[in-house]
Amino acid sequence: MNNNLEFKIDTTEQYYLIGRYVVDFELIVFQIRFSLSILFQMQGLKTFEMANIVFGQKQFTAEPLISCFESISNELLKSIDEEEAKNKIGLTPKELSNLISQFRNKFSKQITVRNDILHGTHFISDTFIVDNKDNIDYDNLYIFKDSPN
């Protein structure tokens, strides 16, 4: 007698979540690129599009962009008066630098996740099986991604 349980699942949400993650990730990349262009304008660049041309190059993928953002931000923070910053934004330049560093570290982890999603092979099935000992049959796993990394 076969006591295995078979579950049928709607996979629409899994496909949606993969796509949504990629879109949201790329919106963050766009915001970093946009912020870099603003920083250049604040330093005297007259044409916003010039910075977009530079940061829109294919070499400026997510990791080089966030690295550049952190470095440029930290360079600009060196010239900001600590008391003035504390009064205006409630943070010292050092505190702001630490937040930017924390963001970069978290975002760098997401770059790895995004790369795994985009460059991995997805095996999404509408069926998975659990045997009578609560073991999952991995040949029919609900969602499985084999990463090249």
Side-chain angles (χ1 to χ4, degrees):
M1 184 173 143
N2 184 350
N3 291 328
N4 293 348
L5 300 174
E6 182 175 307
F7 296 92
K8 291 284 186 189
I9 298 161
D10 181 4
T11 60
T12 305
E13 184 175 8
Q14 280 62 50
Y15 287 107
Y16 166 79
L17 291 172
I18 290 169
R20 181 62 195 251
Y21 179 86
V22 171
V23 168
D24 286 349
F25 180 91
E26 290 304 322
L27 285 173
I28 294 169
V29 172
F30 169 81
Q31 188 61 49
I32 293 167
R33 187 176 290 116
F34 183 80
S35 296
L36 283 164
S37 297
I38 296 283
L39 290 174
F40 272 54
Q41 267 198 306
M42 290 171 60
Q43 294 302 303
L45 183 67
K46 291 182 173 54
T47 308
F48 184 81
E49 196 56 36
M50 296 293 280
N52 277 342
I53 291 168
V54 171
F55 295 117
Q57 299 300 305
K58 66 181 177 181
Q59 295 87 347
F60 276 105
T61 58
E63 184 58 44
L65 276 172
I66 191 63
S67 174
C68 197
F69 178 78
E70 182 182 33
S71 296
I72 289 171
S73 296
N74 285 332
E75 185 61 32
L76 294 172
L77 286 171
K78 290 177 185 177
S79 64
I80 295 176
D81 179 67
E82 193 167 317
E83 282 303 312
E84 185 179 346
K86 188 77 167 168
N87 291 335
K88 285 187 178 181
I89 63 171
L91 295 170
T92 66
K94 179 70 174 156
E95 291 168 332
L96 189 52
S97 177
N98 287 340
L99 287 175
I100 292 168
S101 178
Q102 288 173 27
F103 172 72
R104 180 189 178 177
N105 290 337
K106 288 179 182 181
F107 188 68
S108 291
K109 291 175 186 172
Q110 292 307 307
I111 291 170
T112 301
V113 171
R114 190 276 316 257
N115 288 343
D116 284 349
I117 288 172
L118 289 182
H119 301 293
T121 302
H122 299 265
F123 299 100
I124 299 174
S125 174
D126 65 352
T127 305
F128 75 97
I129 298 172
V130 179
D131 68 17
N132 59 357
K133 295 181 182 160
D134 291 331
N135 294 314
I136 296 175
D137 175 357
Y138 286 98
D139 291 332
N140 292 299
L141 190 62
Y142 175 54
I143 205 170
F144 177 77
K145 186 193 63 61
D146 186 22
S147 173
N149 296 334

